[in-house]
Amino acid sequence: MDAANRSDFYIGLALAVSSTIFIGGSFILKKKGLLRLAKKGSTRAGQGGYAYLKEWLWWSGLILMGIGEAANFAAYAFAPATLVTPLGALSVLVSAVLSSYFLSERLNIHGKVGCLLCIFGSTVMVLHAPKEEEVASLTAMAEKLKDPGFIAFAVCIVVSSLALIFFVAPRYGQKNVLVYILICSVIGSLSVSCVKGLGIGIKELFAGKAVLKEPLFWALLICLVICISIQISYLNKALDIFNTSIVTPIYYVFFTTSVMACSAILFKEWLQMSADGAAGTVSGFLTIIIGIFLLHAFKDINFKMDSLPLFLHLGSQNRTWNQPYIALPNDERTTLIDESKLTKKRNAKSFFPESSDKKSNGTFIT
């Protein structure tokens, strides 16, 4: 990798990391602004009131989010999408850590382990992600878009999205969390490609080239607006129906996987990677997935390190390792199994308070 490519890579990496910090911090500022309004008796956002528009903390969070999104947009112009997209998980980590300090929200042991796994997975991905760019101009981008493999991929994305929107979503969207998330994810892979092309075009514009005269630049802009509108619409539907702790990790997994697949087909970044580099990138991505899952799926469980010895002690009461094996009749064996299950349920209820989420038809809803 030459000096120019190395410089672009580190610029893109710095922009991607700073984007996660800005976006993660913006959630805290907006949440603190809404909490201040609640103390004053004002109506919160989303409940029919507009008092939050007068809260300077809310506006500060909105501006900070705008800066973060701009930095993320710029990162695609310098670094490969295979690197930039997975690092978006760090915004969840930043938000969780800052919430524990500034919003007095307790981060349990599952969340702390999840944060460490996110950091570890992100580090592994940075070390093994492709460093060189295949596309450096809109002309090269146009040649990539003409590739038969990408055309076939884009047609499959559009057809599958239309089928999900018009046939599957009306029937199963309210029942299955995967329907709306799949729509957001597959459309998101195209939106990231548009962002990548626009970022390269803006980079050329600052270099003095007549990019605004290129039809491809405006075509990418129109496609980006359409894709983002669909993403936001169906992501909001998923968040309105299903629990955030379920939607967030699933959406991250499907969205990032779709983007990495699209990037591999369009930019062919993986062809220049060695076997250990590809394995490291996939391993880092899977590690981030596990971290995000632990951070969200168990956030309502009040489990701390102090309660671990007592929990293990209760679990050991039901063990029979030191007792000799005695065959029992089927009816007595069934009775003992039922009693054991009942005891475990009682112990679990005494140490793990029930979540505020309600279970309905196999899915958690708020």
Side-chain angles (χ1 to χ4, degrees):
M1 183 171 61
D2 55 26
N5 286 331
R6 186 182 296 110
S7 176
D8 285 350
F9 175 81
Y10 288 120
I11 290 173
L13 176 61
L15 288 170
V17 174
S18 62
S19 169
T20 61
I21 296 174
F22 289 138
I23 294 175
S26 69
F27 291 127
I28 306 304
L29 289 177
K30 289 194 292 184
K31 184 68 175 291
K32 284 190 70 69
L34 294 175
L35 290 175
R36 285 178 55 175
L37 288 174
K39 291 181 179 179
K40 297 177 183 178
S42 301
T43 307
R44 289 194 181 193
Q47 297 179 351
Y50 297 93
Y52 64 94
L53 295 177
K54 300 178 182 179
E55 176 58 51
W56 67 271
L57 277 176
W58 188 88
W59 279 106
S60 300
L62 189 63
I63 294 172
L64 201 63
M65 176 173 285
I67 296 174
E69 294 294 346
N72 186 66
F73 182 93
Y76 283 102
F78 294 94
T82 306
L83 172 69
V84 177
T85 304
L87 288 180
L90 293 180
S91 62
V92 180
L93 183 151
V94 172
S95 177
V97 173
L98 293 180
S99 296
S100 64
Y101 284 99
F102 297 103
L103 299 178
S104 300
E105 295 181 2
R106 180 169 296 178
L107 190 63
N108 59 15
I109 186 63
H110 300 86
K112 292 176 181 178
V113 173
C115 290
L116 291 176
L117 289 176
C118 287
I119 295 174
F120 179 72
S122 301
T123 304
V124 172
M125 286 207 69
V126 170
L127 294 176
H128 293 89
K131 305 295 190 300
E132 297 183 0
E133 282 288 1
E134 281 289 323
V135 178
S137 64
L138 278 181
T139 304
M141 184 73 178
E143 293 298 324
K144 293 290 184 182
L145 293 174
K146 296 177 183 178
D147 185 77
F150 176 73
I151 293 176
F153 175 80
V155 170
C156 292
I157 290 295
V158 173
V159 172
S160 60
S161 299
L162 291 176
L164 287 171
I165 291 172
F166 292 106
F167 298 103
V168 181
R171 295 183 61 184
Y172 304 103
Q174 304 284 332
K175 303 175 183 178
N176 196 323
V177 67
L178 295 179
V179 176
Y180 291 148
I181 292 179
L182 279 174
I183 296 173
C184 298
S185 301
V186 295
I187 293 295
S189 63
L190 297 180
S191 67
V192 168
S193 300
C194 295
V195 168
K196 182 76 174 177
L198 288 173
I200 293 172
I202 294 175
K203 187 179 177 182
E204 285 188 304
L205 182 64
F206 283 109
K209 296 184 179 180
V211 175
L212 298 180
K213 296 181 180 180
E214 295 286 341
L216 179 60
F217 181 84
W218 298 105
L220 290 174
L221 181 60
I222 294 173
C223 290
L224 178 63
V225 172
I226 295 173
C227 291
I228 289 181
S229 300
I230 296 174
Q231 276 185 266
I232 293 175
S233 175
Y234 282 94
L235 182 60
N236 287 336
K237 288 182 179 180
L239 292 173
D240 288 339
I241 299 172
F242 304 99
N243 195 301
T244 305
S245 62
I246 295 177
V247 173
T248 301
I250 296 177
Y251 176 64
Y252 172 78
V253 173
F254 280 89
F255 174 71
T256 308
T257 303
S258 301
V259 171
M260 293 175 70
C262 181
S263 179
I265 295 172
L266 179 59
F267 303 112
K268 297 179 174 59
E269 297 168 343
W270 294 78
L271 295 180
Q272 297 183 353
M273 297 176 64
S274 59
D276 59 339
T281 302
V282 174
S283 300
F285 176 51
L286 294 177
T287 305
I288 295 175
I289 290 175
I290 297 173
I292 292 293
F293 178 77
L294 288 175
L295 188 60
H296 280 272
F298 302 102
K299 66 178 182 179
D300 293 329
I301 296 179
N302 187 19
F303 180 72
K304 299 181 295 183
M305 287 297 296
D306 297 340
S307 61
L308 181 60
L310 190 56
F311 175 76
L312 294 176
H313 174 69
L314 282 177
S316 64
Q317 291 180 354
N318 296 321
R319 295 172 186 163
T320 57
W321 294 340
N322 297 326
Q323 298 179 6
Y325 174 76
I326 301 176
L328 295 175
N330 290 334
D331 54 347
E332 295 185 15
R333 190 180 308 168
T334 303
T335 304
L336 288 176
I337 291 175
D338 293 339
E339 291 179 354
S340 177
K341 289 181 179 179
L342 182 60
T343 303
K344 288 181 179 179
K345 287 182 179 179
R346 290 173 178 173
N347 292 336
K349 287 184 178 180
S350 62
F351 287 93
F352 300 105
E354 295 182 357
S355 172
S356 59
D357 300 328
K358 297 179 181 180
K359 192 171 183 182
S360 176
N361 296 328
T363 57
F364 289 91
I365 59 176
T366 54

